[in-house]
Structure formats: C-alpha cells, structure tokens
C-alpha cells in the first residue's frame, strides 16, 4: 500500500497543477487517463487504471489555452507550474504565446508568496520546438526583427524572476525552446529528450540568448560545436556536458522530468524564501564580474537578509530544535 501511495503521489500535484472545471473523483488517475489534459478523470475510471487503457488525448485549440499557469496549494503552496500547451504546433513560440508568457511572468514576479517555478510542457513528447515558423513565414521582413527582440526580452525576463526557475524537459527542446530552458536556473531532462540550437540549419543564428547562455552553461568550445553543426543531443549527453542538472529515465506517462522537478521544488520550498532569492541574485550577478566585485555583491545581498523576521525564526528554530516556519518576511 505504501508503495502504491508513493507511485501515485506526484500525480496529485499534477492534478492540482492543471485542474479541470468539473469536480474530480476521489483517487488519482494515471497519465494515460488524463492524457496531460486539464479535464477530470473519466467517470467510473478507477485511480489504479493502467496508463494505456484510455490514452486518447483531448486538446483545446483556443489561443487562450496556449499557456496554462497553476499556483499549487496545500503542502505545495508556493510552487507555480507554467505549462506550454500548443499541441498542434509542438509548443512553438508564437506571438500569442509570447504575450501570454509575458503576462504570466509579470504576475509571478509581483507575487511574494511564490517560492519556485516549474516550466514544463502539457503536451507529451515535446517541450518546445522553437519559433513558430509557419507564423514567421507570414511575417513581413520588417516584423521579424522586432518579434525576435520581444521573444529575447521575454526569455530574459523569465531568467530574471527572483525565485528559482526549474525547466522540466520531457521532450524535444529545440532552438528557442532550448533558449527558454537555458534561461532557467536548473534544467532537468528525460534521458530520451532531444535538445539543440539548430538555427544554422535555417541559415540564421540563435536569437533569444542561445549564443550567450549556452557557452555559460557548458564550455565555449563545446557550445560552438553544438551551434555551428546544429547538433541535437539527448538528455544523457546533455547531463554529461553539464547542460542539465539531472537526466532521468522517461516513464510510460512521459513526464519523468516533471516529477523530478516537482521533487526539487519541494526541497526548495521549506527554505527561507528571501534567502533563496538573495542567493540567486548573488550568484547571477557575481558570475558576470571579477571575484572581488562578486564578493561585494554577496555582501550586499547578505545585508538584505539580516533584518528579516525569517532570519530570527531560523535561529529560534535551531535553538528549539524544531522545523522553522518561514513567511518571507
């Protein structure tokens, strides 16, 4: 029984992340039943139903559904799941998706209760295929530059969110899709996931930060090789190169990276939220300057946590040998 609970527990979080409008039956449906769909489980379908019993997936073509953002609750309060959802376009980056992501990032940035963000895909087998080339083909040449600039700005804003951002790469992350993941603090990939900055195949270059972030994530020479040759690598190779923090074996439901990302978010959640934000700021700013300047940045960030109530709570909890309860104050 304990083993069964352990296997189904992650799906409770997924159900909370993408709930349907109708009341959800008791128990936890398999992903085959859910099909990464936000709808409720099929009536009468038991929680333990095999994943392959109802694998048909139903998606909405409504542009308002291109992005699904859910603020988790209960023990997972503070975790936000941002799910890309353009199944027919393989989550390609469109004007509408950029606009929706800007709005989502802005809302998250203003919410002091958010402790971590998971960027994932609601579509099985794909993270993001890059730019929407069909939409791009319809653009006038004068529109391309401004759109790429806006997409670049979005990805920069995503990376500048004050709390940790975890990319869960359960499928292909190509071009702008990988650039989006590179802006995240931590990347987790399924071993079978495919990743690459493949723009040179189209006689262009990565235009949303890839030429800058990839060399900072791995070595400069390796980044050049991957970009020059438009190479696509799997999750295991990405882990070997240091492109992702973890490579996990894909499960039958196709969301192993999401599970690992959720586990990591749960490890971050209990820590002092202001301290985590200041640590991110110190690391991000410090790695762009010399050591002496970096140490000054660390000192400035440390000074921000000294007057917080959370710091006093941490000391009190240590003294009383109990778990601290941080409030982000």
């Amino acid at each position: 029984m304990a083993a069964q609970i352990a296997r189904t527990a992650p799906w409770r979080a997924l159900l909370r992340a993408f709930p349907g409008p109708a009341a959800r039956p008791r128990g936890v449906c398999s992903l085959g039943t859910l099909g990464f769909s936000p709808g409720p489980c099929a009536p009468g379908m038991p929680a333990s139903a095999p994943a392959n019993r109802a694998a048909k997936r139903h998606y909405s073509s409504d542009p308002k559904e291109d992005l699904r953002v859910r603020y988790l609750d209960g023990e997972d309060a503070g975790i936000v799941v941002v799910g890309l959802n353009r199944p027919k376009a393989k989550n390609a980056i469109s004007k509408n998706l950029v606009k929706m992501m800007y709005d989502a990032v802005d809302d998250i940035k203003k919410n002091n209760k958010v402790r971590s963000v998971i960027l994932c895909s609601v579509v099985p087998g794909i993270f993001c295929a890059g730019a929407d080339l069909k939409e791009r083909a319809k653009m006038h040449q004068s529109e391309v530059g401004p759109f790429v600039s806006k997409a670049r700005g979005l990805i920069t804003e995503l990376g500048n969110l004050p709390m940790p951002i975890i990319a869960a790469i359960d499928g292909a992350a190509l071009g702008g899709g990988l650039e989006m993941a590179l802006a995240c603090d931590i990347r987790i990939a399924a071993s079978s996931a495919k990743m690459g900055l493949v723009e040179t195949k189209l006689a262009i270059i990565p235009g949303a930060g890839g030429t800058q972030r990839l060399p900072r994530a791995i070595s400069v020479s390796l980044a050049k090789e991957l970009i020059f040759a438009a190479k696509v690598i799997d999750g295991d190779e990405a882990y070997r190169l240091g492109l992702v923090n973890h490579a996990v074996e894909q499960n039958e439901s196709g969301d192993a990276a999401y599970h690992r990302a959720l586990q990591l978010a749960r490890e971050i959640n209990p820590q002092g939220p202001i301290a985590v934000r200041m640590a991110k700021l110190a690391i991000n700013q410090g790695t762009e300057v010399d050591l002496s300047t970096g140490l000054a940045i660390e000192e400035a960030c440390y000074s921000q946590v000294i007057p917080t109530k959370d710091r006093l709570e941490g000391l009190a909890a240590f003294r009383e040998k109990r778990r601290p309860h941080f409030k982000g104050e």
Side-chain angles (χ1 to χ4, degrees), residues 17-18 68-72 79-83 117-118 120 258:
F18 300 106
R68 293 178 179 166
V69 181
R70 292 295 183 270
Y71 289 69
L72 305 191
I79 301 173
V80 179
V81 180
V82 178
V117 177
I118 298 174
C120 65
Y258 171 79

Side-chain angles (χ1 to χ4, degrees), residues 35-158:
F36 277 103
S37 166
C41 300
M45 181 67 71
S48 59
N52 60 0
R53 281 186 57 184
K56 185 176 181 180
R57 295 180 167 91
H58 301 279
Y59 298 104
S60 170
S61 59
D62 187 344
K64 295 179 181 179
E65 293 289 310
D66 283 359
L67 190 73
R68 293 178 179 166
V69 181
R70 292 295 183 270
Y71 289 69
L72 305 191
D73 54 17
E75 293 182 356
D76 290 329
I79 301 173
V80 179
V81 180
V82 178
L84 306 175
N85 182 46
R86 300 192 69 219
K88 293 182 179 179
K90 297 183 179 180
N91 289 342
I93 302 170
S94 63
K95 290 181 179 179
N96 184 61
L97 183 61
V98 168
K99 179 184 181 302
M100 293 188 74
M101 289 194 69
Y102 259 116
D103 292 342
V105 168
D106 192 50
D107 288 342
I108 292 169
K109 184 174 16 178
K110 295 175 182 176
N111 193 330
N112 289 329
K113 294 183 179 180
V114 177
R115 299 195 178 191
S116 60
V117 177
I118 298 174
L119 177 64
C120 65
S121 169
V122 184
V123 183
I126 190 76
F127 178 75
C128 175
D132 188 333
L133 298 181
K134 290 183 179 180
E135 183 181 77
R136 182 76 59 86
K138 297 176 183 178
M139 290 183 187
H140 188 273
Q141 187 171 333
S142 62
E143 297 179 273
V144 176
F147 173 73
V148 172
S149 179
K150 190 169 184 179
R152 184 187 305 115
L154 165 66
I155 291 175
T156 298
E157 286 296 302
L158 178 69

